[in-house]
């Protein structure tokens, strides 16, 4: 069987949903299980309504309901299919507007309606257009999670339950259309796995059910050698390894949620990234080991808005435990660190969370002279064969020097498949174009 996940933009309106119908129909022979996100903009609308209700707006429910109804009208979904959900949203948001309180648990409950309504609208529409389909909430497939609202994860044992439940639904001759993003804890309370989490639901289900592949259908031709909005010459990457894709996802490639790949990685289920608007394109397939006859480099990515915390002191020289003390402080404050570079007298760390980095900064004075630089970008050049290819660092630095971009920090570990460099946010455009031009666009 095959898991096919469609994102919000793929199910944005009738024109898009028709494309999805065509794609699913074309794959029918591979026994697809469809995972769907909410319609584009729906989760945002629900969250905004929740916040408005908590401020006392008693009619906050009407905005997301109108958005859903507009699409339901286009699809000619009978009223009775979605009316119970509208009633529940109204009752829930009315309650929130009375108590003026929005806990993470209530927010997950509110956010869940987007996916619950979308799968029903899709199943209804598909069935009326010649493809028998049936909607499921993912908990009907045994997706029971912990109670970390906003970032819930399935409990151990979910995979066996999912396989058992799938046997029952696979016996029917209808394509299952399953909610992404949401779950239920053991007490039956609705949870979510986190924003943009439908990809993660899809890979978790694919691994549990032993799928031959998981397909992530979105709106670009797979993963590209650079951000196509920035670099006109960006090209599709036909195949890449999980390690490369994980580095790219972390360094801001907007294609995949960083955690999406984790479940598939250990179990060697290929993940294919495809374009709903261009379904004949082969996209990108992400596998355990990419073939070795490829070019040394895969892509250039970047992550802007970073801050760099630097501690300098001569006391560090030849000392035992200095870094341990610094990192103890970092971990006590819960700062997530991206990149690290050290010399004998200084340590620099990058982080996304500036407020948290400021709190570390205040406490780090005892360790040496400290500073925090903000508005920085990490440029990452990724490729499986980087460690075995001489001269790449020279190329990278030369390309940046040619366009006058100053590299403020560099990190490259032993055997690493990623060279990371810190530059100023204002240099992103020039730097990415120069690197891509030199590394990927030369004849
Ligand atoms: N609908 C959810 C969100 O907007 C999940 C997803 O799209 O993957 O975050
Ligand atoms: Mg998404």
């Amino acid at each position: 069987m095959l898991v096919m996940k469609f994102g919000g933009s793929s199910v944005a309106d009738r024109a898009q949903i028709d494309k999805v119908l065509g794609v699913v129909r074309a794959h029918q022979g591979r026994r697809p299980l469809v995972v769907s996100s909410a319609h584009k903009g729906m989760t945002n609308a629900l969250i905004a309504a929740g916040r408005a209700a908590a401020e006392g707006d008693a009619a906050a429910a009407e905005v997301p309901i109108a958005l859903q109804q507009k699409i339901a009208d286009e699809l000619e979904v009978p009223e009775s299919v979605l009316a119970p959900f509208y009633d529940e949203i109204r009752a829930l948001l009315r309650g929130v507007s009375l108590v003026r309180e929005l806990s993470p648990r209530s927010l997950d409950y509110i956010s869940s309606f987007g996916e619950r309504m979308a799968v029903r609208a899709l199943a209804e529409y598909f069935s009326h257009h010649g493809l028998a389909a049936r909607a499921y909430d993912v908990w009907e497939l045994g997706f029971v999670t912990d109670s970390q609202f906003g970032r819930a994860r399935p409990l151990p044992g979910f995979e066996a339950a999912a396989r058992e439940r799938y046997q029952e639904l696979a016996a029917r001759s209808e394509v299952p259309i399953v909610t992404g993003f949401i779950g239920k804890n053991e007490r039956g309370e609705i949870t979510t796995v986190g924003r943009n989490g439908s990809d993660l639901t899809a890979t978790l289900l694919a691994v549990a059910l032993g799928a031959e592949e998981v397909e992530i259908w979105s709106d670009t031709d797979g993963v590209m050698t650079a951000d196509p909005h920035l670099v006109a010459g960006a090209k599709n990457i036909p195949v890449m390894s999980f390690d490369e894709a994980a580095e790219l996802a972390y360094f801001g490639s907007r294609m995949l949620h960083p955690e999406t790949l984790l479940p598939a990685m250990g179990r060697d289920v290929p993940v294919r990234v495809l374009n709903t608007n261009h379904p004949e394109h082969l996209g990108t397939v992400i596998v355990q080991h990419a073939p070795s006859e490829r070019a040394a480099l895969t892509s250039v990515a970047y992550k802007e808005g970073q801050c760099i915390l630097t501690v300098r002191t001569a006391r560090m020289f030849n000392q035992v435990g200095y870094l341990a003390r610094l990192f103890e402080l970092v971990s006590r404050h819960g700062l997530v660190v991206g990149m690290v570079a050290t010399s004998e007298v200084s340590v620099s760390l990058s982080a996304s969370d500036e407020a948290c980095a400021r709190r570390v900064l205040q406490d780090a004075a005892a360790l040496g002279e400290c500073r925090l630089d903000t508005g920085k970008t990490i440029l990452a050049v990724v490729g499986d064969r980087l460690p075995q290819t001489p001269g790449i660092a020279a190329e990278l630095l030369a390309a940046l020097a040619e366009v006058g971009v100053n590299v403020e920090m560099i990190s490259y570990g032993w055997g690493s498949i990623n060279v990371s460099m810190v530059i100023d946010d204002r240099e992103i455009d020039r730097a990415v174009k120069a690197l891509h031009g030199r590394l990927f666009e030369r004849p």
Side-chain angles (χ1 to χ4, degrees):
M1 55 91 63
L2 176 70
V3 173
M4 306 175 80
K5 179 263 171 180
F6 293 90
S9 66
S10 297
V11 295
D13 53 28
R14 179 168 176 165
Q16 289 301 101
I17 292 168
D18 274 328
K19 294 179 193 168
V20 172
L21 174 58
V23 166
V24 176
R25 193 180 266 136
H27 285 71
Q28 221 180 335
R30 292 169 75 190
R31 293 195 296 132
L33 174 142
V34 172
V35 172
S36 180
S37 293
H39 306 297
K40 188 177 180 181
M42 192 62 191
T43 311
N44 286 343
L46 286 163
I47 292 172
R51 299 222 163 98
E55 297 288 315
D57 180 354
E62 300 315 316
V63 178
I65 289 175
L67 179 60
Q68 182 65 51
Q69 189 53 41
K70 185 168 167 277
I71 300 169
D73 285 343
E74 285 178 14
L75 300 178
E76 297 170 53
V77 174
E79 260 212 64
S80 59
V81 175
L82 298 176
F85 292 95
Y86 296 167
D87 291 344
E88 196 177 336
I89 297 173
R90 286 194 179 101
L92 175 62
L93 289 179
R94 171 109 179 96
V96 170
S97 77
L98 290 174
V99 295
R100 299 207 176 193
E101 187 182 80
L102 189 62
S103 62
R105 175 175 143 192
S106 315
L107 196 60
D108 273 4
Y109 183 7
I110 293 168
S111 313
S112 73
F113 286 99
E115 273 68 11
R116 290 158 73 199
M117 296 191 294
V119 293
R120 285 163 174 89
L122 286 177
E124 198 55 45
Y125 186 73
F126 285 12
S127 299
H128 274 91
H129 289 81
L131 183 68
R134 193 185 183 96
Y136 293 92
D137 292 313
V138 72
W139 47 79
E140 297 177 71
L141 272 142
F143 200 87
V144 178
T145 71
D146 57 31
S147 298
Q148 299 184 79
F149 297 100
R151 53 191 170 96
R153 291 295 176 269
L155 293 176
F158 124 79
E159 297 192 340
R163 276 193 298 276
E164 203 182 308
R165 293 307 319 275
Y166 180 72
Q167 291 316 316
E168 296 161 30
L169 48 127
R172 303 171 185 268
S173 56
E174 294 153 320
V175 176
I177 306 198
V178 182
T179 53
F181 180 53
I182 64 177
K184 252 185 193 176
N185 68 12
E186 284 175 303
R187 287 194 298 275
E189 296 156 349
I190 293 178
T191 57
T192 70
V193 299
R195 291 307 306 270
N196 301 314
S198 298
D199 294 356
L200 180 60
T201 308
T203 47
L204 286 166
L205 284 176
V207 168
L209 302 177
E212 61 193 62
E213 189 168 275
V214 46
E215 296 184 344
I216 307 288
W217 289 84
S218 165
D219 53 11
T220 58
D221 292 335
V223 185
M224 312 287 275
T225 50
D227 179 352
H229 302 291
L230 208 63
V231 180
K235 298 188 227 2
N236 160 262
I237 307 168
V239 51
M240 63 199 299
S241 68
F242 280 120
D243 288 345
E244 289 172 329
E247 294 275 6
L248 281 187
Y250 175 75
F251 284 103
S253 155
R254 281 119 189 107
M255 281 308 310
L256 286 170
H257 189 274
E259 261 188 82
T260 300
L261 298 168
L262 285 180
M265 242 166 145
R267 308 283 276 279
D268 207 8
V269 176
V271 177
R272 195 179 287 275
V273 182
L274 294 152
N275 188 350
T276 307
N277 300 318
H278 191 187
E280 51 302 333
H281 195 286
L282 289 176
T284 296
V285 64
I286 305 169
V287 292
Q288 206 72 18
H289 301 287
S292 54
E293 64 273 15
R294 286 179 326 154
L297 294 177
T298 312
S299 55
V300 179
Y302 66 92
K303 191 169 178 172
E304 72 271 50
Q306 305 297 297
C307 58
I308 310 291
L309 175 71
T310 302
V311 184
R312 290 179 73 88
T313 173
R315 277 179 289 142
M316 207 177 130
F317 185 72
N318 248 345
Q319 261 219 35
V320 173
Y322 184 87
L323 288 177
R325 285 200 292 285
L326 174 61
F327 280 96
E328 191 279 320
L329 184 65
V330 163
S331 104
R332 187 154 24 96
H333 282 277
L335 184 69
V336 178
V337 171
M339 146 179 187
V340 181
T342 69
S343 78
E344 266 311 312
V345 293
S346 82
V347 191
S348 296
L349 323 168
S350 79
S352 299
D353 185 344
E354 189 183 324
C356 186
R358 285 202 187 283
R359 291 194 289 276
V360 174
L361 183 73
Q362 273 166 9
D363 282 359
L367 289 170
E369 183 196 322
C370 308
R371 58 180 288 163
L372 189 71
D373 292 287
T374 58
K376 301 298 173 189
T377 288
I378 302 178
L379 272 178
V381 176
V382 173
D384 258 354
R385 294 205 359 260
L386 214 120
Q388 294 92 35
T389 314
I392 288 189
E395 289 257 345
L396 302 180
L397 296 173
L400 295 174
E402 255 167 39
V403 292
V405 171
N406 188 28
V407 175
E408 301 173 17
M409 178 174 161
I410 301 182
S411 170
Y412 176 73
W414 184 87
S416 170
I417 63 162
N418 167 14
V419 181
S420 312
M421 294 162 286
V422 171
I423 60 168
D424 199 272
D425 278 348
R426 287 168 297 201
E427 315 260 48
I428 294 175
D429 196 67
R430 260 186 319 148
V432 174
K433 285 185 174 130
L435 279 179
H436 193 272
R438 180 136 180 161
L439 303 170
F440 296 97
E441 295 173 59
R442 283 201 169 170

